[in-house]
Amino acid sequence: MQQARNTAKGRRLETILNIVRFVKVDNQETMLRLLSDRGYAVTQATLSRDFAELKIVKVPDSQGGYRYVPHPDDHTGRQSSSGLVSIEVSGQMAVIRTRPGYANVLAANIDDARLANVMGTVAGDDTVLVILREDADKQAFINELTTIMPDVKQRQI
């Protein structure tokens, strides 16, 4: 995909990845509209092929609906769709490092999910501080995070 970024298709594929990383898209009609808003006029058939190429899948979200995300088992070398770099838990706190610009979205997703072991989050540009509840179990917290970030266990320090 690195070489394809300079082509129209490559730019469209990169746009699709960015949309599913940051916007809750629950159907192809919404994705077609979002692409159109960004200057890409594609058909539903083309979008379906793009989704297959990018390994975009539909998964349940924390609000009881669905959303498109890059497949969690996609080992093509692309970085985590959540921007996750690492996570370290110590006592009642967890520090999540992200790529620059991803922390606020990730913190909002954690807050929106209302995880049982989380009191709240504080985000910077590339770091999220997660405050855990008094009786929170570290492993239970990590397991809860997999509902938001499927690759969290591989990034745990």
Side-chain angles (χ1 to χ4, degrees):
M1 172 112 145
Q2 187 72 4
Q3 298 169 351
R5 285 193 180 140
N6 293 330
T7 67
K9 179 181 177 183
R11 288 188 301 273
R12 183 181 71 242
L13 294 176
E14 192 67 28
T15 299
I16 291 170
L17 281 175
N18 284 329
I19 290 171
V20 299
R21 286 177 181 141
F22 295 110
V23 179
K24 179 186 175 189
V25 178
D26 60 354
N27 60 57
Q28 289 191 359
E29 292 80 21
T30 301
M31 179 59 83
L32 288 169
R33 184 180 44 76
L34 291 169
L35 286 171
S36 177
D37 292 348
R38 289 162 176 78
Y40 297 98
V42 297
T43 65
Q44 189 275 328
T46 298
L47 181 60
S48 291
R49 287 190 295 273
D50 289 349
F51 275 13
E53 182 175 338
L54 294 169
K55 299 182 182 175
I56 302 291
V57 295
K58 199 173 204 179
V59 299
D61 68 10
S62 60
Q63 289 82 36
Y66 291 89
R67 72 177 296 153
Y68 287 108
V69 298
H71 192 282
D73 294 333
D74 180 9
H75 299 294
T76 61
R78 286 194 293 271
Q79 295 185 12
S80 165
S81 64
S82 62
L84 178 66
V85 173
S86 68
I87 179 169
E88 187 171 2
V89 182
S90 177
Q92 301 313 118
M93 293 184 286
V95 174
I96 301 174
R97 305 253 186 235
T98 70
R99 295 191 319 249
Y102 280 66
N104 282 303
V105 171
L106 182 56
N109 288 341
I110 292 170
D111 290 338
D112 289 346
R114 301 190 191 289
L115 304 177
N117 288 295
V118 176
M119 283 179 37
T121 61
V122 178
D125 182 55
D126 63 357
T127 306
V128 178
L129 174 64
V130 181
I131 309 299
L132 303 177
R133 296 196 186 282
E134 185 74 28
D135 58 349
D137 176 71
K138 175 181 174 181
Q139 193 56 50
F141 164 66
I142 296 296
N143 291 340
E144 284 181 322
L145 276 182
T146 61
T147 63
I148 301 167
M149 300 176 288
D151 58 345
V152 72
K153 290 182 180 179
Q154 293 86 6
R155 311 285 179 156
Q156 190 175 354
I157 295 176

